[in-house]
Amino acid sequence: MRFLLTDEQREFRRSLDALLTAADTPAVLRAWAAGDHGPGQALWGRLADAGVFALAVPEAYGGVGPLPVEAAVACVELGRHAVPGPVAETLAAGVLLAGAGGPVAEEWLPGIASGAAVVSLTLEGYGPYAPDADAADAVFTVTGDELRLAPGPGEPSASADPARRLFRPEPGGAPVAKGPAIRAAARAAGDTAAFATAALALGCGEELLRATVAYVKQRTQFGVPVGSFQAVKHRLADTLLGLEFARPLLYGAAVELASEVSRPGAGAGSAEGSSVAGAAVAAAKVAAGEAGYAAARTALQLHGAIGYTEELDLAWWLRRARPLRDVWGTPSACRARVLAG
């Protein structure tokens, strides 16, 4: 099956590409990794003005969502430009808080939709770390059927991506919502985080491949471009195939997530909805994550020694590919979920 974007969705993609191309994201990434969040927060505001974070927030709270296909379009572009910050986590928080409802949703969702609030979170079963918690206005944690607002970001932990810092949130914090609805909302939020991360990984892989193709056209050995060598062509073709096979799985998962919202008797996070959409998301996550990581390995090999230098902008994409593959569902966990679904 072919998944074709509408004219409006393609225009949305082009507008985000133009916005991010003008933003000089490598400079934003370097500042973010050094602890200067100012340029990243300014970029976050421009993305919010473009409607990116409203895509996961219901209209009742100032958003336009949930719109999974448009969210996929946006996250692929954000991944292609390596936008820093807890993008997947903020989108997932929109789904989590909408499912929780009540005062916590009324307090935080309008800010998420407008870009005024940057949010990170941890969910049971996905690991204890909240990415970029030091730059977040709120860090939510879910344990069982309790949703809590962490009292602080906690201590940082080592991260393979210096522009994606990991924190173990401080324990405690009074529950802001509890009950069976929280478990269902957390399942839906986990699917959203995995889905958004898959899109980010696909975009990251696309940029790694684009940069590598451009480089092998310029680098020469024996008086000819290395890109003319058959072995190099085959490696690049394999990388392209991996990315192109992941793309329909990503948009297939988007369609399934959209169907889950409108499925009669199967609201977001329900047992029926989560089994179908969750398996689709897991398939997209493993395919996009592995394809993005394969693109990073290809880029590193074909760039040669220059690929190891931090001065090369490509290093930020190289360091991002593996964490995106493993966060919000490792390849083995995603494969197990596909088989179970």
Side-chain angles (χ1 to χ4, degrees):
M1 182 180 294
R2 295 182 67 194
F3 294 91
L4 299 177
L5 299 178
T6 65
D7 290 340
E8 292 80 5
Q9 290 163 346
R10 287 193 291 269
E11 182 56 35
F12 181 45
R13 180 180 62 192
R14 286 191 290 267
S15 67
L16 289 177
D17 179 40
L19 185 159
L20 293 168
T21 299
D24 188 16
T25 51
V28 175
L29 282 163
R30 287 185 167 86
W32 191 275
D36 178 8
H37 299 134
Q41 289 169 341
L43 177 57
W44 194 279
R46 293 196 291 275
L47 290 170
D49 291 341
V52 170
F53 303 109
L55 295 172
V57 176
E59 292 183 15
Y61 297 100
V64 296
L67 294 174
V69 175
E70 285 75 8
V73 171
C75 286
V76 169
E77 286 305 307
L78 269 60
R80 200 161 66 82
H81 289 272
V83 172
V87 172
E89 292 73 23
T90 296
L91 293 172
V95 172
L96 174 65
L97 299 180
V104 66
E106 295 173 359
E107 179 181 359
W108 287 99
L109 285 178
I112 290 174
S114 68
V118 178
V119 177
S120 191
L121 80 164
T122 66
L123 299 175
E124 203 168 27
Y126 288 100
Y129 299 112
D132 299 307
D134 60 331
D137 299 291
V139 179
F140 291 98
T141 65
V142 175
T143 304
D145 61 358
E146 288 190 342
L147 171 63
R148 295 175 181 266
L149 180 60
E155 293 296 320
S157 299
S159 174
D161 181 357
R164 183 180 171 84
R165 302 176 68 193
L166 302 177
F167 292 80
R168 188 187 291 267
E170 292 181 7
V176 293
K178 61 172 59 177
I182 299 303
R183 289 182 182 271
R187 285 197 299 269
D191 286 345
T192 299
F195 171 72
T197 303
L200 292 169
L202 180 62
C204 179
E206 287 181 350
E207 176 58 20
L208 285 163
L209 178 60
R210 183 208 63 78
T212 305
V213 170
Y215 181 72
V216 298
K217 288 180 178 179
Q218 299 173 356
R219 181 184 172 194
T220 60
Q221 286 184 358
F222 310 112
V224 297
V226 297
S228 64
F229 300 159
Q230 198 73 5
V232 172
K233 290 180 179 180
H234 285 172
R235 185 69 183 267
L236 293 170
D238 288 343
T239 302
L240 176 61
L241 282 174
L243 294 168
E244 290 304 316
F245 272 106
R247 192 182 315 280
L249 289 175
L250 176 69
Y251 285 108
V255 171
E256 196 57 56
L257 286 171
S259 298
E260 178 185 347
V261 175
S262 59
R263 184 179 293 120
S270 71
E272 179 188 347
S274 63
S275 64
V276 177
V281 168
K285 177 63 168 59
V286 69
E290 293 283 29
Y293 182 50
R297 296 180 64 180
T298 297
L300 183 60
Q301 180 181 20
L302 297 186
H303 274 80
I306 193 174
Y308 289 94
T309 61
E310 291 190 1
E311 290 77 10
L312 185 70
D313 287 344
L314 193 72
W316 296 99
W317 281 259
L318 289 171
R319 290 183 170 186
R320 181 152 293 198
R322 183 163 183 172
L324 288 175
R325 184 195 71 171
D326 295 336
V327 73
W328 294 112
T330 62
S332 60
C334 288
R335 289 189 177 97
R337 191 172 186 189
V338 171
L339 291 173

